[in-house]
Amino acid sequence: MPFYYEGNVYIRRSETGEKVIFENPAAINESVEYINKHSIKHVGVSDFDSPDVYFLNECPGIEHLDVFNSFIKDLSGIYSLRDLRILSINETTTKNVFKIGELKNLQEVYGQLPSKTAGLNELSKLTRAQLWSYKPKARNLTEFSGLKSLKELILTQSNIVTLEGIQEIVSLQMLQLNYLRSLKDVSALRKVKAPLIDVEFESCKGIEDFSSIGELMHLEQLS
């Protein structure tokens, strides 16, 4: 992916267009100006020393945001992005509550959510979730049960023990579970009415009984 600088603004170019990356505190204002002037939709926040992302308030047109920053303590600046459709997030160390439910138009989420994430079940437009180290207190999938538009769910290294709640994800088409060492009970699959056609398990060695998979009416691919 070619990259270049326009003044002090760091830009990457791909087939989908330009992506502006905040990487230098001294270039924040210049980057904001470039984003708004050129209607940039894809923005990244890399690992530079910044306690918050309030500067994103000045870029209301962002639709795709990547946050890979271990310095940020306050993510609330993201809430103003009313057009945000895609969020990738990783390496954040914030101990504050991240109210992801504020992102009403979010359709896709990727990465490792902060430990105190709230409102995931409020994302009514979410169609794809690919999460690493997802660790809900209930240790099941009930937090996803209100996501009526969710079609693809991919979990890696989660602490869930059962799939309870999956029966309420009414549009689910693809389920991929990777390295879920704590997962033992997948019997909730018997209750699934969604058009689940693709189920994949990778290194989920604790599962005690796979028989419920045979009751998935729409299943086309199992691996």
Side-chain angles (χ1 to χ4, degrees):
M1 183 181 295
F3 68 89
Y4 59 96
Y5 285 90
E6 184 78 28
N8 294 310
V9 181
Y10 181 37
I11 303 167
R12 287 186 179 178
R13 179 172 291 159
S14 69
E15 294 179 356
T16 58
E18 291 182 333
K19 173 185 176 181
V20 171
I21 301 175
F22 289 95
E23 61 158 7
N24 179 359
I28 287 178
N29 290 337
E30 190 176 346
S31 298
V32 166
E33 182 178 351
Y34 186 93
I35 289 168
N36 291 328
K37 181 179 180 180
H38 297 277
S39 300
I40 302 298
K41 304 300 183 183
H42 190 180
V43 170
V45 180
S46 68
D47 206 24
F48 70 93
D49 192 352
S50 177
D52 57 59
V53 288
Y54 288 137
F55 50 85
L56 295 177
N57 291 332
E58 302 177 50
C59 310
I62 294 174
E63 296 181 2
H64 186 168
L65 177 66
D66 305 323
V67 181
F68 303 102
N69 187 302
S70 59
F71 295 96
I72 296 172
K73 306 302 180 185
D74 184 354
L75 290 165
S76 60
I78 297 177
Y79 305 158
S80 64
L81 303 179
R82 299 302 180 187
D83 293 331
L84 192 65
R85 304 288 190 272
I86 303 172
L87 173 65
S88 296
I89 188 166
N90 235 324
E91 301 178 10
T92 58
T93 58
T94 179
K95 295 182 179 179
N96 296 332
V97 175
F98 175 45
K99 300 178 183 178
I100 195 171
E102 295 287 328
L103 306 175
K104 302 299 184 184
N105 290 311
L106 197 65
Q107 296 176 5
E108 301 177 23
V109 61
Y110 302 89
Q112 183 176 3
L113 296 175
S115 58
K116 293 184 179 179
T117 296
L120 184 61
N121 62 333
E122 300 172 12
L123 299 174
S124 61
K125 296 184 180 180
L126 195 70
T127 61
R128 193 171 202 268
Q130 183 173 341
L131 302 177
W132 176 70
S133 195
Y134 172 67
K135 297 180 179 179
K137 290 182 179 179
R139 303 193 72 177
N140 58 30
L141 299 180
T142 54
E143 195 171 20
F144 294 95
S145 61
L147 304 184
K148 307 302 183 184
S149 299
L150 189 64
K151 295 180 179 180
E152 299 182 16
L153 177 60
I154 302 171
L155 300 179
T156 301
Q157 294 185 344
S158 173
N159 73 339
I160 63 171
V161 176
T162 81
L163 298 184
E164 184 59 35
I166 193 172
Q167 67 272 18
E168 302 297 331
I169 311 176
V170 296
S171 298
L172 191 65
Q173 296 179 10
M174 191 270 276
L175 175 68
Q176 183 177 327
L177 305 174
N178 307 310
Y179 300 96
L180 273 56
R181 296 179 180 178
S182 300
L183 182 61
K184 296 181 180 180
D185 183 1
V186 297
S187 61
L189 290 173
R190 288 193 174 92
K191 298 180 280 186
V192 169
K193 304 298 183 185
L196 185 56
I197 59 175
D198 185 354
V199 176
E200 302 177 30
F201 295 96
E202 175 70 27
S203 295
C204 299
K205 298 179 180 179
I207 298 175
E208 298 169 348
D209 183 1
F210 284 94
S211 62
S212 57
I213 296 175
E215 299 185 34
L216 291 172
M217 298 172 57
H218 304 278
L219 189 63
E220 297 178 4
Q221 179 172 324
L222 174 64
S223 60

